[in-house]
Amino acid sequence: EVEISCHFIEGNFMDLADFPRLKKLDLRHTSVTGDVRDIGENDFLHLEYIVLPKTVIGGWDYQFQLISEVPSVMNAIYLWMRRNRDRELFSDWRWYLSRDSPDWYDGYHDLNCPDHPFTVDLVQARSRLGWQWRNEDGDFCEINWLDPEPDRICDADTSSTRSLQSIQEEIGFYKGHYHPPTAEEYNRLCDEYSED
């Protein structure tokens, strides 16, 4: 069993992909670079724990430059989790839209309106995995599912993961939006919200 947790590692994290016995990789306090979309099906085969810094595209606390980047990164993370058969591998990770992004806009059209949803979380509902945008106050966009919809019989498990119904009940202000609305859409939503 090999564990790597060091502050002085540099270069691309993929240089460590060939360590066949690597179980733990904690690079959060390093300046390594790379892109999680570069992880191949034979890389990091036995990894049980990983933290990549935000200098890696898709790393922990990574800040996306474009909303359109998110689906491909989430899909790469999903494929890695599925291959390693570990749905908890990235469970505590968060990603954000960068304030430098051309997609960024200031929220709080008025004080009664929910803020913009510029944080990305993984979501697990029983046997199903997806991701969704949210704001810091807990207002959620719709879920972008990564797993296909399961058979009702197969999904009858009563594990500790949240039910789909409880997750969908959290979607209110951004219902119908799978990604953050544009600034214009956001202002329209806020105007409608204020009228109610």
Side-chain angles (χ1 to χ4, degrees):
E1 181 175 318
V2 178
E3 176 180 322
I4 297 177
S5 181
C6 182
H7 299 279
F8 304 108
I9 296 176
E10 295 178 350
N12 190 314
F13 82 98
M14 288 299 297
D15 294 339
L16 302 170
D18 293 332
F19 286 78
R21 294 171 30 153
L22 186 61
K23 298 273 189 188
K24 181 178 180 182
L25 183 61
D26 186 345
L27 300 173
R28 82 181 86 203
H29 300 295
T30 69
S31 58
V32 297
T33 58
D35 188 328
V36 296
R37 294 172 290 193
D38 294 337
I39 299 169
E41 64 181 56
N42 295 317
D43 298 327
F44 301 108
L45 290 176
H46 302 286
L47 213 55
E48 296 171 357
Y49 178 85
I50 184 168
V51 179
L52 298 173
K54 60 185 172 185
T55 51
V56 171
I57 295 172
W60 186 56
D61 280 349
Y62 177 72
Q63 295 185 14
F64 290 98
Q65 293 304 309
L66 298 170
I67 290 171
S68 60
E69 287 180 302
V70 176
S72 64
V73 170
M74 292 298 114
N75 192 54
I77 288 171
Y78 166 70
L79 291 174
W80 193 10
M81 291 169 71
R82 192 173 77 183
R83 188 190 69 232
N84 285 18
R85 293 184 174 87
D86 187 350
R87 292 179 173 258
E88 300 296 318
L89 202 57
F90 297 91
S91 62
D92 295 331
W93 288 34
R94 301 287 181 271
W95 302 268
Y96 305 92
L97 183 66
S98 170
R99 287 185 176 271
D100 297 329
S101 167
D103 296 331
W104 178 274
Y105 54 86
D106 288 323
Y108 289 110
H109 176 75
D110 67 40
L111 293 179
N112 295 320
C113 188
D115 200 7
H116 47 63
F118 289 159
T119 301
V120 179
D121 292 323
L122 287 174
V123 176
Q124 186 166 351
R126 304 233 170 153
S127 63
R128 210 162 172 208
L129 190 68
W131 57 274
Q132 70 184 149
W133 290 91
R134 68 168 172 85
N135 66 20
E136 296 303 316
D137 299 322
D139 297 293
F140 296 88
C141 289
E142 300 281 352
I143 300 167
N144 297 277
W145 291 110
L146 297 163
D147 284 322
E149 190 168 357
D151 295 334
R152 294 213 183 271
I153 296 169
C154 295
D155 199 39
D157 114 46
T158 56
S159 66
S160 62
T161 57
R162 298 161 54 206
S163 73
L164 177 57
Q165 182 178 355
S166 72
I167 293 171
Q168 288 179 323
E169 287 172 356
E170 296 174 346
I171 302 168
F173 185 77
Y174 294 108
K175 191 163 192 62
H177 291 270
Y178 288 85
H179 304 284
T182 64
E184 295 79 25
E185 291 171 326
Y186 175 77
N187 287 332
R188 182 184 48 76
L189 285 170
C190 287
D191 288 340
E192 292 170 4
Y193 186 78
S194 296
E195 291 171 8
D196 289 342

